[in-house]
Amino acid sequence: MSMKHYNRIKGLIAATFTPFNQEGNLNLEVIPMYADYLAKSSIQGVFICGTSGESLSLTEQERKELACAWIKAAQKRFRVIIHVGSNSIIESKSLAQHAEEIGADGIAMMSPTFFKPVNVNELVTYLKTVALSAPHTPFYYYNMPTITGVHLPVKDILKVAGQEIETLVGVKFTSNNFMEMAECIDYDCHRFEILNGYDENLLCGLAMGVEGAVGSTYNYIPHIYQKMMEYFKKNKITQAREMQLKSIAVINIIIKHGGGVRGGKAIMKFIGINCGDCRLPLSPFSKSEYEEIERELVSLHLIS
């Protein structure tokens, strides 16, 4: 199936957190409220079971249950893109097939992270095998070399995958290599959609030509980025830069508290959506740490 008429993403996609209860099991009851909250924030969609969703810490069954819960809760108000990457190609194929069966708007896939492909052809063969399990669903390659350890040139991946994977529509580009990003955006007359992956650098991505972005902080401060994008469109670069600096101030807080997943989950609790602690090896938040992050958020006027 050709994806020529696929509607590109213009705006923000929230990389959602996976809610756990006190026992460390899935807490699917949170998702309808979570979905309602995001729908009101005017985001374009969700990216579930990705890095922010602790995907490789979940079982295949948990990932399918999460996918079903999000599709049901979204009620077509926004797109649902499901990450199906895994170190097992059997699991990835099963997740991809399931995503298509339940009506996902797209699937994405990072490279295996243990036995890694050593060249572009190996990676594309792996991706193609999974994409064929969802032959009618738009497919994104999820490029995140700092996590996967796979540093293959993305433009070369697009050259080969563009011939091999009919459903390929773009890349979730989570890398600071803006030269590479620009080449990917420009490749083959802007054939592929390149989604910005680092929230703290969205303004750089906009300058290179991205129109859509996937990130965890879009869960709780989407208005900052939406203002930034509006300022950028109006060529108000100074104001756009001020918005980016506001986002960086928040990101510095979550980095201090263990990164985007661990710190981000704590922030979700303060906005009324309790996603619980992360799954080990990411350590739980202590009471004193919650108090500290609360003070830091109040100082930025993000919560009162």
Side-chain angles (χ1 to χ4, degrees):
M1 174 186 174
S2 172
M3 291 287 138
K4 284 181 180 175
H5 302 297
Y6 171 71
N7 290 322
R8 295 191 176 207
I9 293 162
K10 297 184 190 298
L12 305 177
I13 302 287
T16 55
F17 303 102
T18 295
F20 296 122
N21 60 24
Q22 287 185 323
E23 290 73 44
N25 298 316
L26 287 186
N27 187 3
L28 299 177
E29 292 177 8
V30 172
I31 290 175
M33 178 175 61
Y34 196 163
D36 289 346
Y37 164 80
L38 290 176
K40 288 172 188 167
S41 73
S42 300
I43 58 140
Q44 300 301 302
V46 293
F47 187 96
I48 71 164
C49 296
T51 305
S52 301
E54 301 173 70
S55 61
L56 297 192
S57 298
L58 305 174
T59 67
E60 180 182 344
Q61 184 59 32
E62 285 176 326
R63 290 170 73 170
K64 288 180 177 178
E65 288 175 16
L66 267 171
C68 288
W70 272 107
I71 292 284
K72 182 180 179 183
Q75 297 174 355
K76 302 287 184 186
R77 292 174 292 177
F78 49 76
R79 301 190 205 203
V80 179
I81 300 171
I82 301 172
H83 173 247
V84 300
S86 165
N87 282 316
S88 162
I89 195 165
I90 304 300
E91 183 170 290
S92 283
K93 287 170 66 179
S94 177
L95 289 166
Q97 181 180 348
H98 179 259
E100 180 159 291
E101 286 171 354
I102 64 174
D105 297 292
I107 58 172
M109 185 177 180
M110 66 171 72
S111 165
T113 60
F114 189 76
F115 291 121
K116 299 176 181 65
V118 297
N119 57 50
V120 168
N121 285 330
E122 271 193 6
L123 174 61
V124 171
T125 298
Y126 192 94
L127 298 176
K128 180 181 179 180
T129 303
V130 175
L132 286 171
S133 296
H136 307 294
T137 303
F139 181 89
Y140 292 88
Y141 170 54
Y142 181 177
N143 177 59
M144 195 176 192
T146 56
I147 294 289
T148 64
V150 174
H151 295 266
L152 298 171
V154 183
K155 184 181 173 185
D156 293 349
I157 295 167
L158 289 175
K159 282 181 180 177
V160 178
Q163 301 296 316
E164 294 287 329
I165 303 173
E166 289 188 15
T167 51
L168 181 69
V169 294
V171 177
K172 180 181 184 293
F173 196 96
T174 309
S175 164
N176 289 325
N177 188 337
F178 290 102
M179 173 179 162
E180 183 176 50
M181 175 188 271
E183 289 181 323
C184 291
I185 291 169
D186 187 60
Y187 174 66
D188 200 7
C189 300
H190 298 252
R191 176 180 167 189
F192 295 107
E193 180 175 29
I194 308 301
L195 300 173
N196 193 86
Y198 277 132
D199 309 10
E200 62 270 31
N201 290 335
L202 177 56
L203 185 56
C204 306
L206 293 173
M208 286 300 176
V210 301
E211 294 182 299
V214 180
S216 65
T217 63
Y218 309 152
N219 282 287
Y220 46 85
I221 49 168
H223 56 285
I224 289 176
Y225 299 98
Q226 287 160 345
K227 280 184 183 176
M228 183 202 307
M229 294 174 93
E230 287 169 19
Y231 284 136
F232 183 81
K233 282 179 185 173
K234 294 174 182 174
N235 208 26
K236 295 182 175 180
I237 302 304
T238 301
Q239 292 94 325
R241 196 179 297 131
E242 286 171 1
M243 292 299 108
Q244 186 70 84
L245 286 167
K246 280 190 175 185
S247 106
I248 287 169
V250 178
I251 287 165
N252 276 327
I253 290 175
I254 60 178
I255 288 171
K256 179 181 175 184
H257 292 281
V261 187
R262 189 173 181 271
K265 270 193 161 182
I267 292 177
M268 293 301 286
K269 187 174 182 179
F270 289 117
I271 63 170
I273 299 170
N274 189 354
C275 293
D277 287 316
C278 296
R279 188 163 278 179
L280 293 173
L282 300 180
S283 57
F285 255 73
S286 64
K287 186 172 182 289
S288 62
E289 203 174 5
Y290 271 121
E291 290 168 354
E292 183 182 2
I293 195 171
E294 184 175 21
R295 286 194 298 272
E296 292 162 345
L297 295 172
V298 168
S299 73
L300 293 178
H301 308 291
L302 287 172
I303 59 173
S304 54

